[in-house]
Amino acid sequence: MAITLDKFIIKEDKREEKKDKEELKEYLEEGIEESIYEEEEEPEEVIERTSFEAETPKNTGILYLLSVSYSAIRNKAFLKLYDPEKGKIVFWYDDTGHKPYLFTNQSIEQLSSKVISHPGLEKFEEVEKYDLLYDRKIKVIKVIAKDPLSIGGRRDSLREMIENTWEDNIRYHECYTYDMNLIPGYTYMIKDGKLIRVDQQINYESLKSSFKDLPEERLKYLLEWFPLLSTPVPNYRRIAIDIEVISEYVDRIPDPHTAKNPIVCVSLVSSDGLNKVLMLKRSDVREGIRPPELSENVEIEYFDSEIALIKEVFKYLIEYPIVLTFNGDGFDLHYLWKRAQLLGMRKEDIPIIMGRDIALLPIGIHIDLYKFFHNHAIQVYAFGNAYREVTLDAIASSLLNMKKIQIERSIAELDYLQLASYCYRDALIALKLTSENSNLIMNLITMIMRISRMSMEDVVRQGISKWIKSMLYHEHRVRGYLIPRQSDIEALKGIASTTAIIKGKKYMGAIVIRPESDVYFNVVVLDFASLYPSIISRWNLSYETVRCIHEECKSNVVPDTKHWICKKRIGLMSLIIGMLRDVRVKWFKHKSKDPSISEEERNWYKVVQQALKVFLNASYGVFGSEVFPLYCLPLAESTTAIGRYIIRETINRAREMSLRVIYADTDSLFIYKPTEDQIYQLQEWAESKFGIDLEVDKRYTFVTFSGRKKNYLGVLDNGIVDIKGLVGKKRNTPVFLKQAFSDMTQILKEVKTPEDFKYAKEKIKEIIQNCYNNLKNRKYTLDDLAFKVMLSRPPDKYVKTTPQHVKAARQLQDKGKEVKPGDIISFVKVQGPIGVKPVQLARLDEIDIEKYIGHIQSTFDQVLDALGIEFEEIIGAKKLEFFTN
DNA sequence: GCGGACTGCTTACCT
DNA sequence: ACAGGTAAGCAGTCCGCG
């Protein structure tokens, strides 16, 4: 049945109707209340027990699925869907009687004797599953439970009592998502109380022509995914919240576990024009003068009591479908939750569901941007390392070019308008972070939800390995494949067959060719487009195809290893990763650069392209990580081994063509002065031999190598200075060095011919000499001289050695300042036995000048080496002079 | 008891 | 809590030295 509505096709979801419908359960057994946390390493399943509910309409327009949850009160799964017309959440409760379950290979007799009296047991069912590892159908028993905690999460859960279980550690709301083939972030409707998936009309003919080289099976799979990557994302109605609390200490965040001090200010900024600051009236505070940062449209509302203020905030938490905070899990919502209780509210009347480190909402979705920006994959692949420190200020300045408002005094000492302006800015930044670039972040989150099949609150809190896990689990479930246990894969596939170059690593990685120290004009960089995903796709790599069980495949060996690859089946990982790669490269990346479409449209393609890139970039790495449930060393190892083979063969081929390969790293080759024809020939050769595109990545006017790997500086044909790995560019290098280094790159930027170097060299010598003189004459400030190093753990957790930044951090602690992991410690090198001091405690006259001269040398040597200049030759004479002083 | 050679630890980077 | 490979600087240890 298909009804056409506008440009959408609507069709019935192909979910099977369950025969025996469970009656709605009003009450759960007692005693669960306190044991809602899983003991496992898995993030706890937060079980909702509040009485807040959204509407459950029988008929709706287009809705976007934001989240799949489990209601403990009704003991069933339910969906939170976003209605873009009303800007509200609606609920839809499961109508199939779906129940949590696990699989086991125990017989029903064995099971009966063990668990038949378990109060949470519903029934046993024999089902057929496909065992990918052994390439055969198997019969297993599905043990169905009455509620999620009876499967796992308690000491006496079924999974603790049954041996040989599978799929027993999937959280119930995820299990439900996969089984119902739900796509979070995607479009649905409710019709006569039924949930219906809504697909966008796709022009399949034009698509097929873009992918005409693809084998049938791969193309079919790609077309299934296409609508989900092409459907637009709504402009979500959302509100950002930030709270301020009185605090005794200037440098310490109030503790939400005790929530001793009052909440005095809350700002609310929404996508639909709300700009409000709620302020607690206090007798000793003056109104003050409205600062220019606090624009006239910001409404300030005063409250006589704190609880009245909090209750007003709660109205917005219920009202809005999406609530944004920066560290709301760890602070804002946690504090509100605790504080409301201290002021007499009952837990079940508070519209916040508090887990251990996570704050959820009963109706809407809470996005903690701190957690999202903390995600390494997002930091690196989506934002290209644009922000270094995960603080609101650092992120806002790099992504929005906007700063937090600086306050000199503690919260308690500010007047009303100063406080309002400070608090308002933080909420404004949070909202703007999600609206920038046509709602880039919200679009990205939604695309990641669709690809990973994860709910919004999970996507923003979990990392790339969880996203990929979820995507793959879904693919297993829809195909009827049993999800193997990590131990099943390891037992069958064994361990690695290569030795890593780095001590402590599990297998060998990529090749890096050491460059000769020199300056090279006219260099072209070729690189293999997404090499590892392409290898996984082209070589049919998957955990079941690497070292498969078929005797006849053993001849199909992976170069450099003892592994072989299946010739009989398409590998599941190969299929999925290959599809993501193809659709990204051949469609979205292409479209994001298409000048014939609008910028708005290009931006959309860019987002999809970025989301796919995040998955692809991590798709090989997860298989080499023990934390990944489908961990498979031979798979990761085969990927890098084939990568080494490809780059080695390509270098050899280039040399046969009399090309000079001056440097190579993993998937890239730097070629000296090739002709266009030579480039073309090499590309053709590589593409026909390996089936992987070899693209021109960059063209350098010149590039200087210091002789070190992963360490060079060049000027591109578009005039941009491209610096990799040099000390002068690292974030922990003192500002005075970075500045001098940057001055040097400005000189190099102007170099067009080898002759220009004469002049450039003289200028560079001058820069270095100036830098040296300024240092010697103590012209630099302490901030200029500071090294800024991130603390990765609490200072007392460094037991093997005490690095300098830890020494500095401990000095700060002694002075009563709080330091924690993630903080960046600024310190200078001083004379004396300890050798370092935090900038806050140091004096300019105790700086260890000799140490800093060493740093000038090592920073500039990385470039001087290539130019054939000796550092001593620049400052040699000066150095003597210095000593005689 | 002291200093250079060496290894290991830590951070930040590259692909 | 995606991988391995590399640079740099310092901390700590070992060993030889009549």
Side-chain angles (χ1 to χ4, degrees), chain A residues 755-797:
Chain A
E755 291 73 48
D756 293 346
F757 261 111
K758 261 213 173 86
Y759 173 75
K761 281 184 189 176
E762 290 312 310
K763 285 299 252 185
I764 289 168
K765 284 183 191 171
E766 247 174 62
I767 288 167
I768 296 171
Q769 207 157 73
N770 272 335
C771 179
Y772 173 82
N773 290 343
N774 286 341
L775 175 67
K776 203 190 70 176
N777 298 325
R778 298 184 197 266
K779 288 270 174 65
Y780 293 119
T781 65
L782 286 170
D783 283 328
D784 289 335
L785 296 167
F787 291 84
K788 294 177 181 162
V789 180
M790 172 145 6
L791 205 57
S792 68
R793 36 191 200 248
D796 56 311
K797 292 280 159 59

Coordinates of all heavy atoms in Angstrom, one line a residue, chain A residues 755-797:
Chain A
E755 N 66.4 31.2 -6.5 CA 67.2 32.4 -6.3 C 66.6 33.2 -5.2 O 67.4 33.9 -4.4 CB 67.2 33.3 -7.6 CG 68.0 32.7 -8.8 CD 67.3 31.5 -9.4 OE1 66.0 31.6 -9.6 OE2 67.9 30.4 -9.6
D756 N 65.3 33.2 -5.0 CA 64.7 34.0 -3.9 C 65.2 33.6 -2.6 O 65.1 34.3 -1.6 CB 63.2 33.8 -4.0 CG 62.5 34.4 -5.2 OD1 63.2 35.2 -5.9 OD2 61.4 34.1 -5.5
F757 N 65.7 32.4 -2.5 CA 66.1 31.9 -1.2 C 67.3 32.7 -0.6 O 67.4 32.8 0.7 CB 66.6 30.4 -1.3 CG 65.5 29.5 -0.8 CD1 64.8 28.7 -1.7 CD2 65.1 29.5 0.5 CE1 63.8 27.9 -1.3 CE2 64.1 28.7 0.9 CZ 63.4 27.8 0.0
K758 N 68.1 33.3 -1.4 CA 69.2 34.0 -0.9 C 68.7 35.1 0.1 O 69.2 35.2 1.2 CB 70.0 34.7 -2.1 CG 71.2 34.0 -2.5 CD 72.2 35.0 -3.0 CE 73.5 34.3 -3.3 NZ 73.6 33.8 -4.7
Y759 N 67.8 35.9 -0.4 CA 67.2 37.0 0.4 C 66.5 36.4 1.6 O 66.7 36.9 2.7 CB 66.3 37.8 -0.5 CG 65.5 38.8 0.2 CD1 66.1 40.0 0.6 CD2 64.1 38.6 0.5 CE1 65.3 41.0 1.3 CE2 63.4 39.6 1.1 CZ 64.0 40.7 1.5 OH 63.2 41.7 2.2
A760 N 65.7 35.4 1.3 CA 64.9 34.8 2.4 C 65.8 34.3 3.6 O 65.5 34.5 4.7 CB 64.0 33.6 1.9
K761 N 66.9 33.7 3.2 CA 67.8 33.2 4.2 C 68.3 34.3 5.1 O 68.4 34.1 6.4 CB 69.0 32.5 3.6 CG 68.7 31.0 3.1 CD 69.9 30.4 2.5 CE 69.6 29.1 1.9 NZ 70.8 28.5 1.2
E762 N 68.6 35.4 4.5 CA 69.1 36.5 5.3 C 68.1 37.0 6.3 O 68.3 37.3 7.4 CB 69.6 37.7 4.4 CG 70.9 37.4 3.6 CD 72.0 36.8 4.5 OE1 72.3 37.4 5.6 OE2 72.5 35.7 4.2
K763 N 66.8 37.1 5.7 CA 65.7 37.6 6.6 C 65.5 36.7 7.7 O 65.2 37.1 8.9 CB 64.4 37.7 5.7 CG 64.4 38.9 4.8 CD 64.5 40.2 5.5 CE 63.2 41.0 5.5 NZ 63.4 42.3 6.2
I764 N 65.6 35.4 7.4 CA 65.3 34.4 8.5 C 66.4 34.5 9.6 O 66.1 34.4 10.8 CB 65.3 33.0 7.9 CG1 64.0 32.8 7.0 CG2 65.3 31.9 8.9 CD1 64.0 31.6 6.1
K765 N 67.6 34.7 9.1 CA 68.7 34.8 10.1 C 68.4 36.0 11.1 O 68.6 35.9 12.3 CB 70.0 35.0 9.4 CG 70.6 33.8 8.8 CD 72.0 34.1 8.2 CE 72.5 32.9 7.4 NZ 73.7 33.3 6.6
E766 N 67.9 37.1 10.4 CA 67.6 38.3 11.2 C 66.5 38.0 12.3 O 66.6 38.4 13.4 CB 67.0 39.3 10.3 CG 67.8 40.5 10.1 CD 67.2 41.4 9.0 OE1 66.1 41.9 9.2 OE2 67.9 41.6 8.0
I767 N 65.5 37.2 11.8 CA 64.4 36.9 12.7 C 64.9 36.1 13.9 O 64.5 36.4 15.1 CB 63.3 36.1 12.0 CG1 62.5 37.0 11.0 CG2 62.3 35.5 12.9 CD1 61.7 36.3 10.0
I768 N 65.7 35.2 13.6 CA 66.2 34.3 14.7 C 67.1 35.1 15.6 O 67.0 35.0 16.9 CB 67.0 33.1 14.1 CG1 66.0 32.2 13.3 CG2 67.6 32.3 15.2 CD1 66.6 31.1 12.5
Q769 N 67.9 36.0 15.0 CA 68.8 36.8 15.9 C 68.0 37.8 16.8 O 68.3 37.9 18.0 CB 69.7 37.6 15.0 CG 71.0 38.0 15.6 CD 72.0 38.3 14.6 OE1 72.0 39.3 13.9 NE2 73.0 37.4 14.4
N770 N 66.9 38.3 16.2 CA 66.0 39.2 17.0 C 65.4 38.5 18.2 O 65.3 39.0 19.3 CB 64.9 39.7 16.1 CG 65.3 41.0 15.4 OD1 66.2 41.7 15.9 ND2 64.7 41.3 14.3
C771 N 65.0 37.3 17.8 CA 64.3 36.4 18.8 C 65.3 36.2 20.0 O 65.0 36.3 21.2 CB 63.9 35.1 18.2 SG 63.1 34.0 19.3
Y772 N 66.5 35.9 19.6 CA 67.6 35.6 20.6 C 67.9 36.8 21.4 O 67.9 36.7 22.6 CB 68.8 35.1 19.8 CG 70.0 35.0 20.7 CD1 70.2 33.8 21.4 CD2 71.0 36.0 20.7 CE1 71.4 33.6 22.2 CE2 72.1 35.8 21.5 CZ 72.3 34.7 22.2 OH 73.4 34.6 23.0
N773 N 68.0 38.0 20.8 CA 68.3 39.2 21.5 C 67.2 39.5 22.5 O 67.4 39.9 23.6 CB 68.4 40.4 20.5 CG 69.7 40.2 19.7 OD1 70.6 39.5 20.1 ND2 69.8 40.9 18.6
N774 N 65.9 39.4 22.0 CA 64.8 39.7 22.9 C 64.8 38.8 24.1 O 64.5 39.3 25.2 CB 63.5 39.5 22.1 CG 63.2 40.6 21.1 OD1 63.8 41.7 21.2 ND2 62.4 40.4 20.2
L775 N 65.1 37.6 23.9 CA 65.1 36.6 25.0 C 66.2 37.0 26.0 O 66.0 37.2 27.2 CB 65.4 35.2 24.4 CG 65.6 34.1 25.5 CD1 64.3 33.9 26.2 CD2 66.1 32.8 24.9
K776 N 67.4 37.3 25.4 CA 68.5 37.6 26.3 C 68.3 38.9 27.1 O 68.6 39.0 28.2 CB 69.8 37.8 25.4 CG 71.1 37.6 26.2 CD 72.3 38.0 25.3 CE 72.3 39.5 25.2 NZ 73.5 40.0 24.4
N777 N 67.6 39.8 26.4 CA 67.3 41.1 27.1 C 66.0 41.1 27.9 O 65.5 42.1 28.3 CB 67.3 42.3 26.1 CG 68.6 42.4 25.4 OD1 69.7 42.2 26.0 ND2 68.6 42.7 24.1
R778 N 65.5 39.9 28.0 CA 64.3 39.7 28.8 C 63.1 40.6 28.4 O 62.4 41.2 29.2 CB 64.5 39.9 30.3 CG 65.6 38.8 30.8 CD 65.8 38.9 32.3 NE 67.0 38.2 32.7 CZ 67.1 37.0 33.0 NH1 66.0 36.3 33.2 NH2 68.2 36.4 33.3
K779 N 63.0 40.7 27.0 CA 61.9 41.5 26.5 C 60.6 40.8 26.4 O 59.6 41.4 26.3 CB 62.3 41.9 25.0 CG 63.4 42.9 25.0 CD 62.9 44.3 25.0 CE 64.0 45.4 25.1 NZ 64.8 45.4 23.8
Y780 N 60.7 39.4 26.6 CA 59.4 38.7 26.5 C 58.7 38.6 27.8 O 59.4 38.6 28.9 CB 59.7 37.3 26.0 CG 60.2 37.2 24.5 CD1 61.4 36.7 24.2 CD2 59.4 37.7 23.5 CE1 61.9 36.6 22.9 CE2 59.8 37.7 22.2 CZ 61.1 37.1 21.9 OH 61.5 37.1 20.6
T781 N 57.4 38.5 27.8 CA 56.7 38.4 29.1 C 56.6 36.9 29.5 O 57.0 36.0 28.7 CB 55.2 38.9 28.9 OG1 54.6 38.0 28.0 CG2 55.2 40.3 28.4
L782 N 56.2 36.7 30.7 CA 56.1 35.3 31.1 C 55.1 34.5 30.3 O 55.3 33.3 29.9 CB 55.6 35.3 32.6 CG 56.7 35.7 33.6 CD1 56.1 35.8 35.0 CD2 57.8 34.6 33.7
D783 N 54.0 35.2 29.8 CA 53.1 34.5 29.0 C 53.7 34.1 27.6 O 53.4 33.0 27.1 CB 51.8 35.4 28.7 CG 50.9 35.3 30.0 OD1 50.9 34.3 30.6 OD2 50.2 36.4 30.2
D784 N 54.5 35.0 27.1 CA 55.2 34.6 25.9 C 56.1 33.4 26.0 O 56.3 32.6 25.1 CB 56.2 35.8 25.4 CG 55.4 37.0 25.0 OD1 54.3 36.9 24.5 OD2 56.0 38.1 25.1
L785 N 56.6 33.2 27.2 CA 57.6 32.2 27.4 C 57.0 30.9 27.9 O 57.7 29.9 28.0 CB 58.6 32.6 28.5 CG 59.5 33.8 28.1 CD1 60.2 34.4 29.3 CD2 60.5 33.4 27.0
A786 N 55.7 30.9 28.1 CA 55.0 29.7 28.8 C 54.8 28.6 27.8 O 54.4 28.7 26.7 CB 53.7 30.2 29.3
F787 N 55.2 27.4 28.3 CA 54.8 26.1 27.6 C 53.4 25.8 28.1 O 53.1 25.9 29.3 CB 55.8 25.0 28.0 CG 57.1 25.2 27.4 CD1 58.1 26.0 28.1 CD2 57.5 24.6 26.3 CE1 59.3 26.2 27.6 CE2 58.8 24.7 25.7 CZ 59.7 25.6 26.4
K788 N 52.5 25.3 27.2 CA 51.2 25.0 27.6 C 50.9 23.6 27.3 O 50.7 23.2 26.2 CB 50.2 25.9 26.9 CG 50.3 27.4 27.2 CD 49.4 28.2 26.4 CE 49.7 29.7 26.9 NZ 49.2 30.6 25.9
V789 N 50.9 22.8 28.4 CA 50.8 21.3 28.2 C 49.6 20.8 28.9 O 49.3 21.2 30.1 CB 52.1 20.6 28.8 CG1 52.0 19.1 28.6 CG2 53.3 21.2 28.1
M790 N 48.9 19.9 28.3 CA 47.6 19.4 28.9 C 47.9 18.3 29.9 O 48.7 17.4 29.7 CB 46.8 18.8 27.8 CG 45.6 18.1 28.3 SD 44.0 18.1 27.5 CE 44.2 18.9 26.0
L791 N 47.2 18.4 31.0 CA 47.3 17.4 32.0 C 46.3 16.3 31.7 O 45.1 16.5 31.5 CB 46.8 18.1 33.3 CG 47.3 17.6 34.7 CD1 48.8 17.5 34.8 CD2 46.7 18.4 35.8
S792 N 46.8 15.0 31.5 CA 45.9 14.0 31.1 C 45.3 13.2 32.2 O 44.4 12.4 32.1 CB 46.7 13.0 30.1 OG 47.6 12.3 30.9
R793 N 45.9 13.4 33.4 CA 45.3 12.7 34.6 C 45.5 13.6 35.8 O 46.3 14.6 35.8 CB 45.8 11.3 34.8 CG 47.3 11.1 34.4 CD 47.6 9.7 34.4 NE 49.0 9.4 34.5 CZ 49.8 8.9 33.6 NH1 49.2 8.6 32.4 NH2 51.0 8.7 33.8
P794 N 44.9 13.2 37.0 CA 45.1 14.0 38.2 C 46.6 14.0 38.5 O 47.2 12.9 38.4 CB 44.3 13.3 39.2 CG 43.3 12.5 38.5 CD 43.9 12.1 37.2
P795 N 47.2 15.1 39.0 CA 48.6 15.2 39.3 C 49.2 14.0 40.1 O 50.3 13.6 39.9 CB 48.8 16.5 40.0 CG 47.7 17.3 39.5 CD 46.5 16.4 39.3
D796 N 48.4 13.5 41.1 CA 49.0 12.4 41.9 C 49.0 11.1 41.2 O 49.4 10.1 41.7 CB 48.2 12.3 43.2 CG 46.7 12.2 43.0 OD1 46.2 12.9 42.2 OD2 46.1 11.3 43.6
K797 N 48.4 11.0 40.0 CA 48.3 9.7 39.3 C 49.6 9.5 38.4 O 49.6 8.5 37.6 CB 47.1 9.6 38.4 CG 45.8 9.5 39.2 CD 45.6 8.1 39.7 CE 44.6 8.0 40.9 NZ 43.3 8.5 40.7

